Every structure is written in structure tokens, then in C-alpha cells.
Amino acid sequence: MVDLRPGEAVVKEGNVVRQNPQGPRPGVLTLTNHRLIFEVHLPQGPGGPVVRRTIDAPLGRIQNVAALDGSRLQVQLPMQVGVFESPEAAEWVRVITEARSHAPPGGGMPGGPRGPGGPGGPGAAGRPGGLFGQYGPRGQGGPGPGRGPGAAPPPPRPCAYCGRMNEPAATKCAGCSAPLPAG
Ligand SMILES: [Zn+2]
């Protein structure tokens, strides 16, 4: 069973047999919207059944995925290449390719593409939220409140001596002629 992170969901999971130089390794291949995970499930071990995770790769680290033929899936990662026997090899290629196309740019790779112009950046109008929620359109923030034309006028100015409210632009009190403080 795979420990999912917040916002992560299993896309496809299936029993496969990994072709290792040491021999076949039966296990479970799990594709989420974030990662590709392979766990070896060996029925026998010194302490009972053995589950060992040998692949846990962010989708952005998958360099290539291909169906070698109808029953073999090849996944190329920076440090290893996995070949899995599965009658669903073509389907795996399809769902992994689809998930990669939705993965956030960079995928944890240093130096990955980022910044304006990337998928979901400013100008990608109409893209729904979901995976790209953090990049989604934020609204253009129109002419917000400010001091420009049309903004609320400054408040009237009370006279410090007689208390009369004077016009904002007045320099002297209209009631007692006392000078009003500037500003
Ligand atoms: Zn006054």
C-alpha cells in the first residue's frame, strides 16, 4: 500500500513482474498523479513476506516510458531503467504519459523549467484549477481602491479653535479665521 501525500491520488495500480538482472521480481506498480512507485513483493523472506520499494520517482524524473512490445513496459529514470512484464504495457504507457503531461513543471529536478511562460503561467486563460491550482488564474485585480480620480474625497478639516468643519482645501477657518494646519 502506498502512502499518499495531500493532493495525491492513485491513477493506476497493477501487478507486474520486473525483469531484473538477478531474476524476475514480482511486485506492484503504482502510478499516482505525483509519482511512479514500484514495490517488490516477495512471498518468502527470512522474516516472512518481503515488500521493498525499489522505485519512488516523481513524474518529472521519468525520462522516457515505452512499451517494448505488448507485454513489456520500459521506464527510464535518471539512475535506472525498469522493465516490467505486464499485459497492460500499452495502457501503462498511456496513463504514465498522461500523468506526466499534467505533472508540475520541474518535478523536483534542479534547474527545471519555471517562471513566467511555463504551463499555467500568466496568460494561460481558461485552464481549470485542479492540479494547477497554485498557478491558476487569480483574477486581474482591477483598478483597486486608491487615491486616484473618483476616490473618496478627503475628509473635512475641523478647526482646532472653534471646532467648525472647514472645506478640505481651506487654509483658514471660515468661522474664526484661525489658520488651519497644512495637510
Ligand atoms: Zn475656527
Side-chain angles (χ1 to χ4, degrees), residues 159-164 166 173-178 180:
C159 173
Y161 294 94
C162 70
R164 180 188 172 109
N166 290 277
C173 175
C176 70
S177 296
L180 296 171

PDB file of all heavy atoms in Angstrom, residues 159-164 166 173-178 180, ligand 1:
ATOM      1  N   CYS A 159     -11.638  72.873  12.726  1.00  0.00           N
ATOM      2  CA  CYS A 159     -10.798  73.949  13.265  1.00  0.00           C
ATOM      3  C   CYS A 159     -10.397  73.596  14.696  1.00  0.00           C
ATOM      4  O   CYS A 159     -11.210  73.154  15.496  1.00  0.00           O
ATOM      5  CB  CYS A 159     -11.564  75.269  13.242  1.00  0.00           C
ATOM      6  SG  CYS A 159     -10.666  76.597  14.079  1.00  0.00           S
ATOM      7  N   ALA A 160      -9.121  73.813  14.987  1.00  0.00           N
ATOM      8  CA  ALA A 160      -8.624  73.471  16.319  1.00  0.00           C
ATOM      9  C   ALA A 160      -9.146  74.443  17.382  1.00  0.00           C
ATOM     10  O   ALA A 160      -9.120  74.140  18.568  1.00  0.00           O
ATOM     11  CB  ALA A 160      -7.103  73.449  16.327  1.00  0.00           C
ATOM     12  N   TYR A 161      -9.610  75.604  16.930  1.00  0.00           N
ATOM     13  CA  TYR A 161     -10.028  76.620  17.911  1.00  0.00           C
ATOM     14  C   TYR A 161     -11.516  76.603  18.154  1.00  0.00           C
ATOM     15  O   TYR A 161     -11.964  76.621  19.303  1.00  0.00           O
ATOM     16  CB  TYR A 161      -9.589  78.007  17.433  1.00  0.00           C
ATOM     17  CG  TYR A 161      -8.095  78.156  17.410  1.00  0.00           C
ATOM     18  CD1 TYR A 161      -7.370  77.908  16.258  1.00  0.00           C
ATOM     19  CD2 TYR A 161      -7.418  78.517  18.583  1.00  0.00           C
ATOM     20  CE1 TYR A 161      -5.999  78.024  16.246  1.00  0.00           C
ATOM     21  CE2 TYR A 161      -6.039  78.634  18.573  1.00  0.00           C
ATOM     22  CZ  TYR A 161      -5.332  78.392  17.407  1.00  0.00           C
ATOM     23  OH  TYR A 161      -3.982  78.506  17.407  1.00  0.00           O
ATOM     24  N   CYS A 162     -12.283  76.622  17.046  1.00  0.00           N
ATOM     25  CA  CYS A 162     -13.735  76.722  17.245  1.00  0.00           C
ATOM     26  C   CYS A 162     -14.459  75.443  16.901  1.00  0.00           C
ATOM     27  O   CYS A 162     -15.652  75.320  17.117  1.00  0.00           O
ATOM     28  CB  CYS A 162     -14.309  77.892  16.438  1.00  0.00           C
ATOM     29  SG  CYS A 162     -14.303  77.607  14.654  1.00  0.00           S
ATOM     30  N   GLY A 163     -13.781  74.528  16.318  1.00  0.00           N
ATOM     31  CA  GLY A 163     -14.405  73.237  16.035  1.00  0.00           C
ATOM     32  C   GLY A 163     -15.200  73.206  14.743  1.00  0.00           C
ATOM     33  O   GLY A 163     -15.761  72.171  14.366  1.00  0.00           O
ATOM     34  N   ARG A 164     -15.257  74.262  14.013  1.00  0.00           N
ATOM     35  CA  ARG A 164     -16.013  74.293  12.774  1.00  0.00           C
ATOM     36  C   ARG A 164     -15.352  73.375  11.741  1.00  0.00           C
ATOM     37  O   ARG A 164     -14.130  73.298  11.643  1.00  0.00           O
ATOM     38  CB  ARG A 164     -16.069  75.735  12.255  1.00  0.00           C
ATOM     39  CG  ARG A 164     -16.842  75.836  10.952  1.00  0.00           C
ATOM     40  CD  ARG A 164     -16.703  77.256  10.377  1.00  0.00           C
ATOM     41  NE  ARG A 164     -17.296  77.298   9.041  1.00  0.00           N
ATOM     42  CZ  ARG A 164     -18.446  77.939   8.771  1.00  0.00           C
ATOM     43  NH1 ARG A 164     -19.082  78.583   9.734  1.00  0.00           N
ATOM     44  NH2 ARG A 164     -18.922  77.936   7.549  1.00  0.00           N
ATOM     45  N   ASN A 166     -14.289  72.683   8.165  1.00  0.00           N
ATOM     46  CA  ASN A 166     -13.964  73.514   7.011  1.00  0.00           C
ATOM     47  C   ASN A 166     -13.750  72.654   5.765  1.00  0.00           C
ATOM     48  O   ASN A 166     -13.511  71.439   5.855  1.00  0.00           O
ATOM     49  CB  ASN A 166     -12.699  74.324   7.304  1.00  0.00           C
ATOM     50  CG  ASN A 166     -12.948  75.401   8.353  1.00  0.00           C
ATOM     51  OD1 ASN A 166     -13.422  76.482   8.042  1.00  0.00           O
ATOM     52  ND2 ASN A 166     -12.649  75.068   9.604  1.00  0.00           N
ATOM     53  N   CYS A 173      -9.863  79.002   8.821  1.00  0.00           N
ATOM     54  CA  CYS A 173     -11.183  78.615   9.295  1.00  0.00           C
ATOM     55  C   CYS A 173     -12.220  79.634   8.817  1.00  0.00           C
ATOM     56  O   CYS A 173     -12.016  80.850   8.938  1.00  0.00           O
ATOM     57  CB  CYS A 173     -11.182  78.547  10.819  1.00  0.00           C
ATOM     58  SG  CYS A 173     -12.812  78.216  11.522  1.00  0.00           S
ATOM     59  N   ALA A 174     -13.314  79.147   8.292  1.00  0.00           N
ATOM     60  CA  ALA A 174     -14.363  80.032   7.805  1.00  0.00           C
ATOM     61  C   ALA A 174     -15.101  80.683   8.976  1.00  0.00           C
ATOM     62  O   ALA A 174     -15.778  81.690   8.811  1.00  0.00           O
ATOM     63  CB  ALA A 174     -15.345  79.266   6.924  1.00  0.00           C
ATOM     64  N   GLY A 175     -15.003  80.146  10.162  1.00  0.00           N
ATOM     65  CA  GLY A 175     -15.727  80.693  11.298  1.00  0.00           C
ATOM     66  C   GLY A 175     -14.897  81.695  12.091  1.00  0.00           C
ATOM     67  O   GLY A 175     -15.351  82.785  12.396  1.00  0.00           O
ATOM     68  N   CYS A 176     -13.650  81.363  12.403  1.00  0.00           N
ATOM     69  CA  CYS A 176     -12.846  82.232  13.279  1.00  0.00           C
ATOM     70  C   CYS A 176     -11.583  82.724  12.599  1.00  0.00           C
ATOM     71  O   CYS A 176     -10.780  83.424  13.227  1.00  0.00           O
ATOM     72  CB  CYS A 176     -12.511  81.509  14.577  1.00  0.00           C
ATOM     73  SG  CYS A 176     -11.324  80.165  14.346  1.00  0.00           S
ATOM     74  N   SER A 177     -11.386  82.359  11.366  1.00  0.00           N
ATOM     75  CA  SER A 177     -10.237  82.806  10.590  1.00  0.00           C
ATOM     76  C   SER A 177      -8.906  82.275  11.124  1.00  0.00           C
ATOM     77  O   SER A 177      -7.847  82.744  10.714  1.00  0.00           O
ATOM     78  CB  SER A 177     -10.177  84.344  10.476  1.00  0.00           C
ATOM     79  OG  SER A 177     -11.296  84.795   9.760  1.00  0.00           O
ATOM     80  N   ALA A 178      -8.943  81.347  12.035  1.00  0.00           N
ATOM     81  CA  ALA A 178      -7.686  80.779  12.513  1.00  0.00           C
ATOM     82  C   ALA A 178      -7.056  79.976  11.370  1.00  0.00           C
ATOM     83  O   ALA A 178      -7.748  79.332  10.575  1.00  0.00           O
ATOM     84  CB  ALA A 178      -7.914  79.871  13.695  1.00  0.00           C
ATOM     85  N   LEU A 180      -5.521  77.005   9.422  1.00  0.00           N
ATOM     86  CA  LEU A 180      -5.635  75.569   9.570  1.00  0.00           C
ATOM     87  C   LEU A 180      -4.275  74.949   9.263  1.00  0.00           C
ATOM     88  O   LEU A 180      -3.558  75.409   8.380  1.00  0.00           O
ATOM     89  CB  LEU A 180      -6.677  75.011   8.599  1.00  0.00           C
ATOM     90  CG  LEU A 180      -8.110  75.520   8.860  1.00  0.00           C
ATOM     91  CD1 LEU A 180      -9.030  75.098   7.727  1.00  0.00           C
ATOM     92  CD2 LEU A 180      -8.620  74.978  10.191  1.00  0.00           C
TER      93      LEU A 180
HETATM   94 ZN    ZN B   1     -12.336  78.188  13.735  1.00  0.00          ZN
END
